[in-house]
Amino acid sequence: FSLFKKIFICIWLLWTLKHKGDDASFPHLGESSQPPPRACPPRCSCPRPDTVDCDGLDLQVFPDNITRAAQHLSLQNNQLQELPYNELSRLSGLRTLNLHNNLISSEGLPDEAFESLTQLQHIYVAHNKLSVAPQFLPRSLRVADLAANEVTEIFPLTFGEKPALRSVYLHNNQLSNAGLPPDAFRGSEAVATLSLSSNQLSYVPPSLPPSLERLHLQNNLISKVPRGALSRQTHLRELYLQHNQLTDSGLDATTFSKLHRLEYLDLSHNQLAAVPAGLPRTLAVLHLGRNRIRWVEAARLGGLRGLRYLLLQHNQLGATGLPAGALRPLRGLHTLHLYGNRLDRVPQALPRRLRALVLPHNRVAALGARDLASTPRLAELNLAYNCLASARVHLRAFRRLRALRSLDLAGNQLTQLPSGLPAGLHTLRLERNQLRVLEPEPLAGLHQLQELSLAHNRLRVGGIGPGTWHELQALQVLDLSHNELSFVPPDLPEALEELHLQGNRIGHVGPEAFLSTPRLRALFLRANRLHMTSIAPEAFLGLLHLRVVDTMGNPEPVLVHLPPTAPRQPRAAGP
């Protein structure tokens, strides 16, 4: 029986080997159930069956052995100079082709290069050497990026007849108006984003897609917007025209009149002498900085009741440039930016809901009792680098600003702290004035103050009155740098975490210098008069949170004794 059993087993094995793979019941005896390994070009990675990634391999030749199943091919950051038609034509299923940052020239890109890529949706050829755009791109395209080349001309079928095309990027090229055909976007009725910035356009091109939502034309040579050039772009929300050569004669009352959805308009860095007429009522942001505007006509802003941000910095607005009440109709205005003009007083009758008034580098010399009365909701007021003297700041100048959180009075001519500061202040900047004394009264009640800058004044320890810091219970950052202090001021606020004392005349730090500041994390003592043993060994004993001690720039290397539990990261060095 055993012999018969052995003969049966041998016959069965022979039969199964002969017919291996035929019987699904014995897959382990047939060929492997796994598919054969996929082809992937050398050194590239193929994380998915439809993806080939050859990024950053310094390739000089288009790789072979790319699977026909590829839908996403990345060849960016290489040194390719040409695209072989035969290789591309095999990859008819491609949806994404990334050729960003290579050396591809127009000569290396055959006219028929993309004709077989009938499913291509995204093409990225930015940062190459193209002198003209491809004459033909697939009809299926959705995103085309040809930025940062040397393109001087595009063709009707480069971007035309692309019903799914949404975004076109042509910035940083050498396009003039002559290089843009009038039918460049005919048949492409879905384009929402078009970037033509940093080219050589002299006027806004006609026949732009009516579907546009974002149009970038900044950094060109545009001196005019032809009548009707923007009449069909009724969906436009963002228009960027900054850094051009626009003058008042290059715009008219109809230029923006059809843009019924426009929310953001940037006309900064041009040569406008007046606020343009006919601005859309839908504007939320109007940027007119760095022009030549001398006077703001109230009627030209009167209809912009939804305007949130008005930027007029670096113009030529003088004493009569902003008449009282000119901005009052802007009921929704949040921020008014007037940096770098010639205003000699705070504009009167500003919108009541204004939250930020930015007025540094003007000529404001006085603050009256009611100069800020019309803006009770101000949270930020910046009057830095004006001509304010203490004698001309009224005791009640800030009385109504109960919502004020940030006040910047740096770079003026104040000799004492202003009175009547709002109790809700979080930040107070008074650096680069002429302060010699600090009294407790102006700081009384500032229980929420977190940051106080008094740098670059003429303060001495004897000029800081007793109890000056007493009510600053929330103060975390105190800057007393570049004054005339000879030692660390006593009784500093307990919540203090950062103390700047650099650039003073401090020659000794006693054992009790920081007893009142147990939370101190950073201490700056550089450029004083400290020597090796000027800091008492016990000075930092209770500062368990201390992270930085900067003593560079003193006459000698300074010996710093950190407490045993503090991280040892002092910046202690010699001159």
Side-chain angles (χ1 to χ4, degrees):
F1 177 78
S2 61
L3 177 62
F4 175 77
K5 183 178 182 180
K6 290 179 180 178
I7 293 172
F8 174 79
I9 291 174
C10 288
I11 293 172
W12 179 78
L13 286 174
L14 288 171
W15 186 88
T16 53
L17 288 173
K18 180 180 179 181
H19 299 279
K20 61 182 179 179
D22 293 347
D23 190 347
S25 301
F26 302 96
H28 57 285
L29 292 175
E31 295 181 1
S32 172
S33 60
Q34 299 297 322
R38 289 179 287 106
C40 193
R43 299 169 58 205
C44 301
S45 64
C46 301
R48 297 188 308 179
D50 63 352
T51 301
V52 179
D53 186 354
C54 301
D55 180 2
L57 299 178
D58 291 328
L59 298 177
Q60 298 182 7
V61 179
F62 194 92
D64 54 12
N65 202 30
I66 296 177
T67 174
R68 291 177 181 269
Q71 295 184 15
H72 309 283
L73 173 58
S74 177
L75 289 163
Q76 66 176 344
N77 301 318
N78 283 289
Q79 299 183 38
L80 300 177
Q81 298 184 35
E82 60 181 8
L83 293 182
Y85 169 73
N86 291 338
E87 291 293 336
L88 272 183
S89 62
R90 293 176 50 251
L91 308 177
S92 58
L94 273 186
R95 294 177 179 269
T96 303
L97 177 58
N98 189 346
L99 297 163
H100 176 91
N101 196 26
N102 276 277
L103 303 172
I104 301 169
S105 64
S106 294
E107 292 74 18
L109 196 62
D111 290 343
E112 68 277 11
F114 305 108
E115 66 179 9
S116 61
L117 306 184
T118 57
Q119 299 183 51
L120 192 65
Q121 296 180 358
H122 302 83
I123 184 167
Y124 304 97
V125 202
H127 291 274
N128 277 277
K129 302 292 184 181
L130 301 179
S131 56
V132 294
Q135 290 200 27
F136 168 83
L137 288 174
R139 181 178 174 84
S140 55
L141 211 58
R142 294 185 179 181
V143 177
D145 186 356
L146 277 71
N149 279 276
E150 301 166 6
V151 174
T152 60
E153 185 178 7
I154 65 173
F155 302 95
L157 289 180
T158 304
F159 304 116
E161 304 301 331
K162 311 283 187 292
L165 188 61
R166 292 282 298 170
S167 303
V168 176
Y169 302 98
L170 283 164
H171 50 277
N172 292 91
N173 277 287
Q174 298 178 21
L175 280 168
S176 65
N177 289 91
L180 289 170
D183 53 353
F185 296 96
R186 181 177 297 169
S188 300
E189 306 296 333
V191 178
T193 299
L194 174 59
S195 179
L196 287 164
S197 59
S198 299
N199 278 281
Q200 298 175 17
L201 303 175
S202 56
Y203 56 88
V204 174
S207 304
L208 293 172
S211 53
L212 279 178
E213 297 177 11
R214 287 167 293 278
L215 177 57
H216 293 263
L217 290 166
Q218 65 266 35
N219 292 297
N220 276 279
L221 306 172
I222 296 173
S223 59
K224 65 176 180 178
V225 180
R227 181 179 286 267
L230 296 172
S231 61
R232 299 190 306 140
Q233 286 66 39
T234 56
H235 297 279
L236 199 63
R237 295 181 181 275
E238 301 172 20
L239 177 56
Y240 301 86
L241 282 164
Q242 68 268 32
H243 289 280
N244 277 287
Q245 299 176 12
L246 286 168
T247 61
D248 294 344
S249 61
L251 306 173
D252 63 36
T254 67
T255 299
F256 308 110
S257 62
K258 302 295 184 180
L259 305 181
H260 301 308
R261 299 185 185 181
L262 194 66
E263 297 175 359
Y264 187 104
L265 176 58
D266 193 339
L267 291 166
S268 63
H269 294 268
N270 278 283
Q271 300 170 25
L272 301 175
V275 176
L279 294 172
R281 294 175 177 268
T282 52
L283 276 180
V285 179
L286 177 57
H287 198 332
L288 292 167
R290 291 193 180 273
N291 277 280
R292 301 174 181 176
I293 298 173
R294 295 176 177 271
W295 186 62
V296 175
E297 185 179 346
R300 296 197 172 186
L301 294 172
L304 308 184
R305 296 191 176 186
L307 193 67
R308 297 276 293 164
Y309 298 89
L310 176 58
L311 295 91
L312 286 161
Q313 72 272 22
H314 291 289
N315 276 283
Q316 299 175 18
L317 295 172
T320 60
L322 204 55
L327 304 181
R328 196 60 181 262
L330 307 180
R331 296 179 181 178
L333 196 64
H334 178 283
T335 298
L336 176 59
H337 204 320
L338 292 164
Y339 184 112
N341 279 279
R342 303 171 183 174
L343 299 170
D344 58 4
R345 65 176 300 180
V346 174
Q348 299 299 289
L350 292 173
R352 291 186 60 82
R353 296 180 182 178
L354 193 67
R355 298 284 291 169
L357 177 57
V358 185
L359 269 167
H361 292 278
N362 276 275
R363 301 174 182 176
V364 179
L367 276 181
R370 298 191 56 80
D371 283 358
L372 298 167
S374 66
T375 54
R377 300 186 185 184
L378 268 187
E380 177 187 349
L381 175 58
N382 190 332
L383 287 165
Y385 298 96
N386 276 278
C387 305
L388 289 170
S390 293
R392 303 196 65 187
V393 178
H394 197 277
L395 297 176
R396 300 179 181 178
F398 306 105
R399 184 183 62 171
R400 299 198 179 192
L401 305 183
R402 296 178 181 177
L404 198 65
R405 297 295 178 264
S406 176
L407 175 59
D408 194 340
L409 295 169
N412 280 282
Q413 302 167 19
L414 302 175
T415 55
Q416 60 188 32
L417 296 181
S419 299
L421 294 173
L425 273 181
H426 291 174
T427 302
L428 176 58
R429 307 193 66 87
L430 289 158
E431 66 264 25
R432 296 187 183 277
N433 276 279
Q434 299 175 18
L435 299 176
R436 291 178 176 270
V437 296
L438 292 180
E439 297 294 340
E441 289 78 9
L443 297 174
L446 300 185
H447 302 300
Q448 300 180 43
L449 193 66
Q450 299 172 13
E451 182 176 348
L452 174 59
S453 178
L454 294 162
H456 291 278
N457 277 283
R458 305 181 68 178
L459 293 170
R460 299 185 179 186
V461 175
I464 302 176
T468 294
W469 319 110
H470 179 67
E471 295 198 36
L472 304 183
Q473 301 169 1
L475 195 67
Q476 297 176 2
V477 179
L478 175 59
D479 192 346
L480 288 164
S481 62
H482 300 283
N483 277 280
E484 300 174 8
L485 304 175
S486 55
F487 56 90
V488 179
D491 300 320
L492 293 171
E494 182 178 350
L496 204 61
E497 296 182 2
E498 187 175 316
L499 177 59
H500 293 261
L501 292 168
Q502 63 267 31
N504 277 282
R505 303 174 181 177
I506 298 173
H508 177 71
V509 178
E512 300 180 354
F514 305 108
L515 286 180
S516 65
T517 56
R519 303 178 189 176
L520 201 62
R521 293 177 176 271
L523 174 63
F524 300 91
L525 284 164
R526 67 163 56 204
N528 274 283
R529 299 179 180 179
L530 297 171
H531 294 267
M532 181 175 292
T533 58
S534 295
I535 299 179
E538 305 87 358
F540 305 136
L541 192 59
L543 305 182
L544 303 182
H545 304 285
L546 196 61
R547 298 291 186 274
V548 175
V549 179
D550 186 351
T551 59
M552 297 178 67
N554 279 283
E556 293 181 1
V558 180
L559 190 60
V560 175
H561 299 272
L562 290 178
T565 56
R568 297 187 172 274
Q569 298 177 355
R571 298 177 188 170

